[in-house]
Amino acid sequence: YADLVRELRRVETVAEAPPLTPAAAWRIAGRPVSRVGAFEVVTGARCYPSDLSRPGMLEGCVLRPPAMGATLRSVNLAAARAMAGVTVVRKGDFVGVAGPDAATARQALSAIKPRWGLPASPAEAELADHLRSHPVEVHGWEGGVEEETGDPDAALARAPVRLSATYTTSFIAHVPMETRAVIAEWSGRHLTLWTGTQVPFGVRQEVAEALGLPEERVRVVVPDTGGAFGGKHVGRPAIEAARLARAAAGPVRLRYSREEEFTAGYFRPAAVIDMRSGADSGGQILAWEHRNYNSGAFALATPYEIPNQLHAYQPADSPLPQGSYRALSATANHFARESHMDEVAHALGVDPLELRLHQLEDERLRDVFQAAAKRAGWIRRSRGRGRGTGIAGGIEKGGRVATCAEVEVGSGGEVRVLRIVTAFECGAVVNPTNLENQVEGAAIMGLGGALFEAVHFEGGRLLNASMASYRVPRFSDAPVVEAVLLDRPDLPPAGGGETPLVVVAPALANAIFAAAGVRLRSLPLLPDGRLP
């Protein structure tokens, strides 16, 4: 084909959008299709960035600070530079080595003698107060938000039933199976990078700017990546590998250790969310106030019909680096909102599902609530005496989702998740098999952030930067997971990779309350593995 079209160019101006094939005429879309290459994935034959190599390739290591925000005051490179076959690079605060093999590179790195300046940094126990008291000005789409409808203060003042509560979420790590990995190779003035990234054009731009190159001299190749979840957005690993490769005059592979994956990355933002609500004795919510500090404005607005509302997001000075994570701030905002809806239902003495349906005009969201409740057996659900079912739902990225969770609480406070049912509607379903996998995977990933995942820190130092001390869901944690897909071929497809995650945590919190009468308002819900 390349030979046929070489030096040929055809330009047409399309006057109007071409008609789309109606769903009734689809021949492939809408039917289950197995993922191409799935067999190679499960057998270990798939090749990822960390599996790649180049002729004459060296292995790289980079000097990392002992704490977040530490500055390099001085460094002695003499011993490392004296090692045979080792290249040492320093540019500002960047110090790295390249050696003939990984063991030699690590040995050279350990021979470097740095002196660091350590910043004052709040401890984990001070986080909520710090985020509230250290607002920052941010411009653009990540900036602060404050939107008001009606008069929430007046409505709250006259409401006979008033509630207020604070909900918090911890920093959590992305924990991909494959740590960051890059191969950098120069050919004259041109640079090629093989790296697992979610933003290849962004990486190319960052690398070009850092190294003073035109972008057309930087090529970024993206092999299949062993997990990212929003954590592999930045170009720093590629910049580091490129600097080492240029100094060593040969290709260099840089693979982060598991500890580096924690300490040199960024985290899902922590959140402090203050909620206030007011309702009348007839079960109508009159006022709603939702204030998020730090984590973001995604899913800030409530989908429920409430006449007097205030939604606010205030960016804050984070003590740890933070950035994109699957579903962004929608998880924190749904956790606060759907937990608080349950608290309102309890205060009014009404069924939590009925309260939600009573406040809803969005028929698509109503449909997923009813579908999840039907599959989970909501009417016949057990309550109290150690077993309970919770429900939560919401709208995110054009999709509608509702999750029912069933838990069992033992006499010692241990919690076992028995079942998760998620009903999901994201317009027309293009590949039911893939979408079902996304829903099931989101349920398991959401389980970790809901129950036990948290980054612990003090003085800028991470205290659990290993797989042994940072717990992610295991096979023994996995409950029965059921996906109920609502196909809407009359609507364009919306993304299915993030939205199924956002209501797992509040469904679990509400289930625990139904089982044991304990209201948990902080994620993770069970940092010590059992009820407090």
Side-chain angles (χ1 to χ4, degrees):
Y1 287 112
D3 292 337
L4 289 172
V5 301
R6 185 171 287 115
E7 298 182 2
L8 297 178
R9 186 177 181 185
R10 178 179 175 184
V11 178
E12 288 188 27
T13 302
V14 179
E16 57 186 30
L20 299 178
T21 303
W26 287 355
R27 292 181 296 108
I28 298 175
R31 300 181 182 181
V33 179
S34 297
R35 176 179 172 180
V36 175
F39 181 79
E40 288 78 8
V41 172
V42 298
T43 59
R46 176 66 61 89
C47 193
Y48 297 95
S50 53
D51 298 318
L52 303 179
S53 65
R54 299 291 295 165
M57 186 178 73
L58 303 175
E59 298 285 350
C61 287
V62 174
L63 184 67
R64 305 293 180 192
M68 304 289 180
T71 55
L72 186 62
R73 290 186 173 173
S74 66
V75 63
N76 187 335
L77 306 175
R81 282 175 170 159
M83 295 179 63
V86 170
T87 299
V88 181
V89 180
R90 181 183 182 187
K91 184 174 178 60
D93 282 350
F94 172 77
V95 178
V97 300
D101 52 67
T104 302
R106 288 193 296 267
Q107 184 181 0
L109 190 70
S110 65
I112 292 173
K113 305 301 179 187
R115 288 182 61 248
W116 298 94
L118 300 178
S121 180
E124 184 180 0
E126 305 163 337
L127 181 60
D129 290 340
H130 176 84
L131 294 178
R132 272 205 186 93
S133 60
H134 289 76
V136 295
E137 187 80 16
V138 178
H139 299 285
W141 68 273
E142 294 181 315
V145 172
E146 183 160 331
E147 298 175 346
E148 186 173 280
T149 302
D151 191 339
D153 287 335
L156 279 165
R158 68 174 181 267
V161 178
R162 293 191 292 271
L163 293 178
S164 63
T166 295
Y167 305 85
T168 64
T169 68
S170 295
F171 292 104
I172 66 176
H174 298 85
V175 203
M177 291 296 289
E178 180 188 41
T179 64
R180 289 164 174 81
V182 187
I183 294 177
E185 184 172 29
W186 291 83
S187 176
R189 296 185 299 167
H190 291 77
L191 171 65
T192 301
L193 299 157
W194 291 264
T195 182
T197 179
Q198 296 168 265
V199 285
F201 293 102
V203 168
R204 182 174 70 168
Q205 181 181 14
E206 284 189 58
V207 171
E209 289 178 358
L211 301 180
L213 297 171
E215 283 192 36
E216 57 266 23
R217 292 187 193 167
V218 180
R219 180 184 178 215
V220 178
V221 181
V222 184
D224 290 316
T225 302
F229 316 114
K232 293 177 179 175
H233 277 344
V234 298
R236 185 170 72 171
I239 294 169
E240 293 168 344
R243 284 177 172 159
L244 292 173
R246 183 158 61 181
V252 171
R253 177 170 59 187
L254 179 65
R255 292 188 291 188
Y256 279 24
S257 68
R258 180 56 63 180
E259 182 179 4
E260 283 180 291
E261 183 63 39
F262 280 99
T263 59
Y266 53 85
F267 308 103
R268 187 191 75 179
V272 176
I273 301 176
D274 294 330
M275 304 288 299
R276 293 198 303 163
S277 61
D280 63 25
S281 55
Q284 183 71 33
I285 301 177
L286 305 173
W288 191 264
E289 183 178 294
H290 183 142
R291 293 185 179 272
N292 177 306
Y293 298 89
N294 189 61
S295 75
F298 283 88
L300 189 64
T302 176
Y304 302 108
E305 298 301 319
I306 301 171
N308 305 283
Q309 303 180 27
L310 185 145
H311 307 104
Y313 158 56
Q314 175 58 60
D317 176 35
S318 172
L320 298 182
Q322 57 186 23
S324 296
Y325 183 98
R326 188 177 184 183
L328 302 168
S329 62
T331 299
N333 285 321
H334 275 94
F335 170 62
R337 176 170 53 255
E338 289 299 289
S339 294
H340 200 72
M341 285 292 290
D342 236 55
E343 297 202 49
V344 173
H346 179 71
L348 293 172
V350 300
D351 181 274
L353 174 61
E354 291 304 317
L355 176 66
R356 288 169 167 84
L357 297 178
H358 179 64
Q359 300 286 157
L360 270 180
E361 290 186 6
D362 188 296
E363 291 298 326
R364 295 171 63 193
L365 184 54
R366 177 184 293 272
D367 288 345
V368 294
F369 266 122
Q370 292 175 330
K374 181 179 179 180
R375 174 68 67 87
W378 178 261
I379 294 175
R380 302 180 304 278
R381 71 192 186 279
S382 53
R383 285 168 280 183
R385 292 182 293 181
R387 283 181 84 119
T389 302
I391 195 167
I395 300 173
E396 178 61 10
K397 290 185 170 60
R400 272 66 173 171
V401 64
T403 292
C404 282
E406 183 181 3
V407 304
E408 182 178 70
V409 180
S411 57
E414 63 278 5
V415 176
R416 187 163 69 97
V417 182
L418 304 174
R419 187 183 181 203
I420 290 177
V421 176
T422 293
F424 185 43
E425 188 260 278
C426 57
V429 177
V430 177
N431 184 348
T433 298
N434 183 60
L435 185 58
E436 186 173 340
N437 289 338
Q438 291 287 341
V439 173
E440 293 174 354
I444 299 301
M445 187 172 181
L447 201 67
L451 297 182
F452 34 71
E453 284 190 55
V455 171
H456 301 307
F457 61 96
E458 187 171 1
R461 298 177 187 268
L462 266 61
L463 306 180
N464 59 334
S466 71
M467 294 295 285
S469 55
Y470 184 96
R471 184 171 172 207
V472 295
R474 304 166 183 159
F475 284 112
S476 58
D477 297 313
V480 173
V481 178
E482 299 175 43
V484 182
L485 305 182
L486 280 68
D487 189 13
R488 289 290 304 270
D490 56 312
L491 297 174
E498 295 186 289
T499 302
L501 180 79
V502 300
V503 291
V504 173
L508 287 167
N510 297 338
I512 290 170
F513 178 79
V518 178
R519 178 62 64 182
L520 302 175
R521 300 187 179 95
S522 293
L523 297 183
L525 300 169
L526 309 171
D528 299 318
R530 58 187 67 238
L531 291 181

